[in-house]
Short mmCIF file of all heavy atoms in Angstrom, two decimals:
data_model
loop_
_atom_site.label_atom_id
_atom_site.label_comp_id
_atom_site.label_asym_id
_atom_site.label_seq_id
_atom_site.Cartn_x
_atom_site.Cartn_y
_atom_site.Cartn_z
N ASP H 603 132.87 -29.66 -99.12
CA ASP H 603 133.76 -29.55 -97.94
C ASP H 603 135.20 -29.29 -98.37
O ASP H 603 135.93 -28.52 -97.74
CB ASP H 603 133.69 -30.83 -97.09
CG ASP H 603 132.52 -30.78 -96.12
OD1 ASP H 603 131.79 -29.77 -96.14
OD2 ASP H 603 132.33 -31.74 -95.36
N ASN H 676 128.52 -27.55 -88.39
CA ASN H 676 129.27 -28.82 -88.41
C ASN H 676 129.24 -29.49 -87.04
O ASN H 676 129.04 -30.70 -86.94
CB ASN H 676 130.74 -28.54 -88.78
CG ASN H 676 131.04 -28.97 -90.20
OD1 ASN H 676 130.71 -30.08 -90.58
ND2 ASN H 676 131.64 -28.08 -90.97
N LEU H 677 129.43 -28.70 -85.99
CA LEU H 677 129.42 -29.27 -84.63
C LEU H 677 128.03 -29.79 -84.27
O LEU H 677 127.89 -30.87 -83.70
CB LEU H 677 129.88 -28.22 -83.61
CG LEU H 677 131.33 -27.74 -83.74
CD1 LEU H 677 131.65 -26.73 -82.65
CD2 LEU H 677 132.29 -28.93 -83.64
N ASN H 680 127.28 -32.96 -86.32
CA ASN H 680 128.01 -34.12 -85.77
C ASN H 680 127.30 -34.68 -84.56
O ASN H 680 127.14 -35.89 -84.43
CB ASN H 680 129.43 -33.69 -85.35
CG ASN H 680 130.41 -33.74 -86.50
OD1 ASN H 680 130.03 -34.09 -87.61
ND2 ASN H 680 131.65 -33.39 -86.24
N ALA H 681 126.86 -33.77 -83.66
CA ALA H 681 126.20 -34.23 -82.44
C ALA H 681 124.94 -35.02 -82.80
O ALA H 681 124.68 -36.10 -82.26
CB ALA H 681 125.85 -33.04 -81.56
N VAL H 682 124.17 -34.50 -83.77
CA VAL H 682 122.94 -35.19 -84.17
C VAL H 682 123.28 -36.54 -84.82
O VAL H 682 122.67 -37.57 -84.51
CB VAL H 682 122.13 -34.30 -85.15
CG1 VAL H 682 120.94 -35.07 -85.72
CG2 VAL H 682 121.67 -33.03 -84.46
N ARG H 683 124.31 -36.54 -85.67
CA ARG H 683 124.64 -37.77 -86.42
C ARG H 683 125.21 -38.87 -85.53
O ARG H 683 124.99 -40.04 -85.75
CB ARG H 683 125.62 -37.42 -87.55
CG ARG H 683 124.91 -36.75 -88.72
CD ARG H 683 125.88 -36.13 -89.69
NE ARG H 683 127.01 -36.98 -89.93
CZ ARG H 683 128.27 -36.60 -89.83
NH1 ARG H 683 128.56 -35.36 -89.53
NH2 ARG H 683 129.23 -37.44 -90.06
N TYR H 684 126.02 -38.47 -84.53
CA TYR H 684 126.68 -39.51 -83.72
C TYR H 684 125.90 -39.89 -82.47
O TYR H 684 126.22 -40.89 -81.83
CB TYR H 684 128.11 -39.07 -83.36
CG TYR H 684 128.97 -39.02 -84.61
CD1 TYR H 684 129.33 -37.82 -85.19
CD2 TYR H 684 129.37 -40.20 -85.24
CE1 TYR H 684 130.07 -37.78 -86.35
CE2 TYR H 684 130.11 -40.17 -86.41
CZ TYR H 684 130.46 -38.95 -86.95
OH TYR H 684 131.18 -38.93 -88.11
N THR H 685 124.88 -39.10 -82.11
CA THR H 685 124.10 -39.45 -80.91
C THR H 685 122.95 -40.37 -81.32
O THR H 685 122.22 -40.04 -82.26
CB THR H 685 123.55 -38.16 -80.25
OG1 THR H 685 124.67 -37.32 -79.98
CG2 THR H 685 122.82 -38.46 -78.95
N VAL H 707 128.46 -27.53 -77.86
CA VAL H 707 127.50 -28.56 -78.25
C VAL H 707 127.85 -29.81 -77.45
O VAL H 707 128.93 -30.36 -77.60
CB VAL H 707 127.59 -28.85 -79.77
CG1 VAL H 707 126.54 -29.87 -80.17
CG2 VAL H 707 127.47 -27.60 -80.59
N ASP H 709 126.69 -33.68 -76.17
CA ASP H 709 125.76 -34.76 -76.53
C ASP H 709 125.95 -35.95 -75.60
O ASP H 709 126.95 -36.06 -74.89
CB ASP H 709 125.95 -35.17 -77.99
CG ASP H 709 127.31 -35.75 -78.28
OD1 ASP H 709 127.71 -36.72 -77.61
OD2 ASP H 709 128.02 -35.21 -79.17
N GLY H 711 126.17 -38.96 -76.79
CA GLY H 711 126.52 -39.99 -77.77
C GLY H 711 127.56 -40.98 -77.26
O GLY H 711 127.78 -41.11 -76.05
N PRO H 712 128.23 -41.68 -78.20
CA PRO H 712 129.14 -42.78 -77.82
C PRO H 712 130.42 -42.29 -77.14
O PRO H 712 131.13 -43.09 -76.53
CB PRO H 712 129.48 -43.43 -79.16
CG PRO H 712 129.26 -42.34 -80.18
CD PRO H 712 128.17 -41.49 -79.65
N GLY H 713 130.73 -41.02 -77.25
CA GLY H 713 131.98 -40.50 -76.68
C GLY H 713 133.17 -40.93 -77.54
O GLY H 713 133.03 -41.74 -78.47
N ILE H 714 134.33 -40.36 -77.22
CA ILE H 714 135.52 -40.63 -78.03
C ILE H 714 136.67 -41.00 -77.09
O ILE H 714 136.90 -40.32 -76.09
CB ILE H 714 135.91 -39.37 -78.85
CG1 ILE H 714 134.72 -38.91 -79.71
CG2 ILE H 714 137.13 -39.60 -79.73
CD1 ILE H 714 134.79 -37.47 -80.14
N LEU H 722 141.41 -35.69 -84.13
CA LEU H 722 140.09 -35.52 -84.75
C LEU H 722 140.05 -34.41 -85.79
O LEU H 722 139.25 -34.46 -86.73
CB LEU H 722 139.04 -35.21 -83.67
CG LEU H 722 138.66 -36.38 -82.75
CD1 LEU H 722 137.59 -35.95 -81.78
CD2 LEU H 722 138.16 -37.56 -83.57
N THR H 723 140.92 -33.38 -85.62
CA THR H 723 140.86 -32.26 -86.57
C THR H 723 141.74 -32.50 -87.81
O THR H 723 141.84 -31.63 -88.67
CB THR H 723 141.28 -30.94 -85.89
OG1 THR H 723 142.55 -31.15 -85.29
CG2 THR H 723 140.29 -30.49 -84.84
N GLU H 724 142.34 -33.69 -87.90
CA GLU H 724 143.10 -34.01 -89.13
C GLU H 724 142.11 -34.30 -90.24
O GLU H 724 141.06 -34.89 -89.99
CB GLU H 724 143.96 -35.26 -88.91
CG GLU H 724 145.18 -35.02 -88.08
CD GLU H 724 145.94 -36.32 -87.81
OE1 GLU H 724 145.80 -37.28 -88.58
OE2 GLU H 724 146.65 -36.36 -86.80
N PHE H 726 140.17 -36.12 -92.90
CA PHE H 726 139.74 -37.51 -93.13
C PHE H 726 139.98 -38.44 -91.94
O PHE H 726 139.88 -39.65 -92.09
CB PHE H 726 140.42 -38.11 -94.38
CG PHE H 726 140.04 -37.39 -95.65
CD1 PHE H 726 140.97 -36.65 -96.35
CD2 PHE H 726 138.74 -37.46 -96.13
CE1 PHE H 726 140.62 -35.98 -97.51
CE2 PHE H 726 138.38 -36.79 -97.29
CZ PHE H 726 139.33 -36.04 -97.98
N TYR H 727 140.28 -37.88 -90.78
CA TYR H 727 140.45 -38.77 -89.62
C TYR H 727 139.07 -39.08 -89.05
O TYR H 727 138.29 -38.18 -88.75
CB TYR H 727 141.32 -38.11 -88.55
CG TYR H 727 141.69 -39.08 -87.43
CD1 TYR H 727 142.77 -39.91 -87.56
CD2 TYR H 727 140.89 -39.19 -86.30
CE1 TYR H 727 143.08 -40.83 -86.57
CE2 TYR H 727 141.20 -40.10 -85.30
CZ TYR H 727 142.30 -40.92 -85.44
OH TYR H 727 142.60 -41.83 -84.47
N ARG H 728 138.77 -40.35 -88.93
CA ARG H 728 137.47 -40.75 -88.38
C ARG H 728 137.67 -41.81 -87.31
O ARG H 728 138.56 -42.65 -87.45
CB ARG H 728 136.59 -41.35 -89.46
CG ARG H 728 136.13 -40.36 -90.50
CD ARG H 728 135.66 -41.16 -91.68
NE ARG H 728 134.88 -40.40 -92.61
CZ ARG H 728 135.19 -40.29 -93.88
NH1 ARG H 728 136.29 -40.86 -94.34
NH2 ARG H 728 134.42 -39.62 -94.70
N VAL H 729 136.84 -41.76 -86.28
CA VAL H 729 136.92 -42.79 -85.24
C VAL H 729 136.07 -43.98 -85.71
O VAL H 729 136.53 -45.11 -85.76
CB VAL H 729 136.40 -42.27 -83.89
CG1 VAL H 729 136.53 -43.33 -82.82
CG2 VAL H 729 137.16 -41.01 -83.48
N ASP H 730 134.85 -43.66 -86.09
CA ASP H 730 133.94 -44.71 -86.53
C ASP H 730 133.64 -44.47 -88.01
O ASP H 730 132.77 -43.68 -88.36
CB ASP H 730 132.66 -44.63 -85.66
CG ASP H 730 131.68 -45.74 -86.00
OD1 ASP H 730 131.84 -46.36 -87.07
OD2 ASP H 730 130.77 -45.96 -85.19
N ARG H 731 134.39 -45.17 -88.86
CA ARG H 731 134.30 -44.91 -90.31
C ARG H 731 132.89 -45.16 -90.85
O ARG H 731 132.33 -44.34 -91.58
CB ARG H 731 135.27 -45.81 -91.08
CG ARG H 731 136.67 -45.38 -90.89
CD ARG H 731 137.66 -46.04 -91.79
NE ARG H 731 138.88 -45.24 -91.66
CZ ARG H 731 139.16 -44.22 -92.42
NH1 ARG H 731 138.37 -43.88 -93.40
NH2 ARG H 731 140.25 -43.51 -92.22
N SER H 734 130.32 -42.67 -89.74
CA SER H 734 130.54 -41.39 -90.41
C SER H 734 129.95 -41.43 -91.82
O SER H 734 129.20 -40.55 -92.22
CB SER H 734 132.04 -41.09 -90.48
OG SER H 734 132.31 -40.13 -91.45
N ARG H 735 130.27 -42.50 -92.56
CA ARG H 735 129.81 -42.57 -93.96
C ARG H 735 128.30 -42.75 -94.05
O ARG H 735 127.64 -42.08 -94.84
CB ARG H 735 130.51 -43.72 -94.68
CG ARG H 735 131.99 -43.45 -94.86
CD ARG H 735 132.52 -43.96 -96.18
NE ARG H 735 133.89 -43.52 -96.34
CZ ARG H 735 134.95 -44.20 -95.92
NH1 ARG H 735 134.79 -45.35 -95.32
NH2 ARG H 735 136.16 -43.72 -96.09
N SER H 737 126.07 -41.75 -92.13
CA SER H 737 125.31 -40.54 -91.80
C SER H 737 125.74 -39.35 -92.66
O SER H 737 125.44 -38.22 -92.36
CB SER H 737 125.48 -40.21 -90.32
OG SER H 737 126.85 -40.03 -90.04
N GLY H 738 126.47 -39.64 -93.75
CA GLY H 738 126.82 -38.58 -94.71
C GLY H 738 128.04 -37.77 -94.32
O GLY H 738 128.23 -36.65 -94.80
N GLY H 739 128.91 -38.31 -93.47
CA GLY H 739 130.11 -37.56 -93.06
C GLY H 739 131.19 -37.62 -94.13
O GLY H 739 131.27 -38.57 -94.90
N THR H 740 132.01 -36.59 -94.14
CA THR H 740 133.10 -36.55 -95.12
C THR H 740 134.46 -36.72 -94.44
O THR H 740 135.47 -36.88 -95.11
CB THR H 740 133.12 -35.19 -95.85
OG1 THR H 740 133.28 -34.17 -94.86
CG2 THR H 740 131.87 -34.95 -96.65
N GLY H 741 134.49 -36.60 -93.13
CA GLY H 741 135.77 -36.67 -92.42
C GLY H 741 136.50 -35.33 -92.45
O GLY H 741 137.66 -35.24 -92.05
N LEU H 742 135.82 -34.28 -92.92
CA LEU H 742 136.48 -32.97 -93.03
C LEU H 742 135.89 -31.93 -92.08
O LEU H 742 136.43 -30.84 -91.93
CB LEU H 742 136.38 -32.44 -94.47
CG LEU H 742 137.07 -33.30 -95.54
CD1 LEU H 742 136.73 -32.79 -96.92
CD2 LEU H 742 138.58 -33.28 -95.34
N GLY H 743 134.75 -32.29 -91.45
CA GLY H 743 134.02 -31.31 -90.63
C GLY H 743 134.86 -30.65 -89.55
O GLY H 743 134.92 -29.41 -89.46
N LEU H 744 135.55 -31.44 -88.74
CA LEU H 744 136.29 -30.84 -87.62
C LEU H 744 137.54 -30.11 -88.10
O LEU H 744 138.01 -29.17 -87.44
CB LEU H 744 136.64 -31.91 -86.57
CG LEU H 744 135.42 -32.53 -85.86
CD1 LEU H 744 135.87 -33.53 -84.81
CD2 LEU H 744 134.54 -31.47 -85.22
N ALA H 745 138.08 -30.54 -89.27
CA ALA H 745 139.22 -29.79 -89.84
C ALA H 745 138.75 -28.39 -90.22
O ALA H 745 139.45 -27.39 -89.99
CB ALA H 745 139.77 -30.51 -91.07
N ILE H 746 137.53 -28.31 -90.74
CA ILE H 746 136.96 -27.00 -91.10
C ILE H 746 136.77 -26.16 -89.83
O ILE H 746 137.15 -24.99 -89.79
CB ILE H 746 135.62 -27.19 -91.86
CG1 ILE H 746 135.90 -27.80 -93.23
CG2 ILE H 746 134.85 -25.87 -91.98
CD1 ILE H 746 134.67 -28.16 -94.05
N SER H 762 135.65 -35.35 -74.01
CA SER H 762 134.76 -36.48 -74.24
C SER H 762 135.04 -37.61 -73.26
O SER H 762 136.16 -37.75 -72.77
CB SER H 762 134.96 -36.98 -75.67
OG SER H 762 134.02 -37.95 -75.98
N GLY H 767 129.50 -39.43 -73.65
CA GLY H 767 129.17 -38.31 -74.52
C GLY H 767 130.34 -37.37 -74.73
O GLY H 767 131.43 -37.59 -74.18
N SER H 768 130.10 -36.35 -75.55
CA SER H 768 131.20 -35.42 -75.89
C SER H 768 130.72 -33.99 -75.79
O SER H 768 129.52 -33.71 -75.84
CB SER H 768 131.66 -35.65 -77.33
OG SER H 768 131.77 -37.01 -77.61
N PHE H 770 131.90 -30.26 -77.60
CA PHE H 770 132.76 -29.50 -78.52
C PHE H 770 132.45 -28.03 -78.29
O PHE H 770 131.28 -27.65 -78.27
CB PHE H 770 132.45 -29.86 -79.97
CG PHE H 770 132.81 -31.29 -80.32
CD1 PHE H 770 131.97 -32.34 -79.95
CD2 PHE H 770 133.96 -31.57 -81.03
CE1 PHE H 770 132.29 -33.65 -80.27
CE2 PHE H 770 134.29 -32.88 -81.36
CZ PHE H 770 133.46 -33.92 -80.98
P1 ADP M 438 132.77 -36.71 -90.17
O1 ADP M 438 132.30 -36.08 -91.40
O2 ADP M 438 133.27 -38.09 -90.34
O3 ADP M 438 131.83 -36.57 -89.05
P2 ADP M 438 134.38 -34.85 -88.69
O4 ADP M 438 135.67 -34.22 -89.04
O5 ADP M 438 133.24 -33.95 -88.47
O6 ADP M 438 134.11 -35.91 -89.82
O7 ADP M 438 134.61 -35.71 -87.39
C1 ADP M 438 135.73 -36.55 -87.31
C2 ADP M 438 135.41 -37.77 -86.49
O8 ADP M 438 135.20 -37.40 -85.13
C3 ADP M 438 134.13 -38.45 -86.92
O9 ADP M 438 134.35 -39.35 -87.97
C4 ADP M 438 133.70 -39.13 -85.63
O10 ADP M 438 134.31 -40.39 -85.57
C5 ADP M 438 134.23 -38.23 -84.53
N1 ADP M 438 133.16 -37.35 -83.98
C6 ADP M 438 132.88 -36.10 -84.35
N2 ADP M 438 131.89 -35.59 -83.62
C7 ADP M 438 131.52 -36.57 -82.75
C8 ADP M 438 130.54 -36.66 -81.71
N3 ADP M 438 129.74 -35.64 -81.43
N4 ADP M 438 130.49 -37.82 -81.03
C9 ADP M 438 131.30 -38.84 -81.31
N5 ADP M 438 132.24 -38.83 -82.27
C10 ADP M 438 132.36 -37.70 -82.99
#
Side-chain angles (χ1 to χ4, degrees):
D603 275 1
N676 254 310
L677 294 181
N680 274 0
V682 172
R683 283 167 42 231
Y684 293 105
T685 304
V707 183
D709 64 56
I714 304 159
L722 289 182
T723 54
E724 285 176 23
F726 297 112
Y727 189 85
R728 292 162 165 124
V729 182
D730 183 344
R731 288 191 166 270
S734 161
R735 292 217 173 89
S737 58
T740 59
L742 297 172
L744 295 183
I746 291 175
S762 187
S768 317
F770 293 79

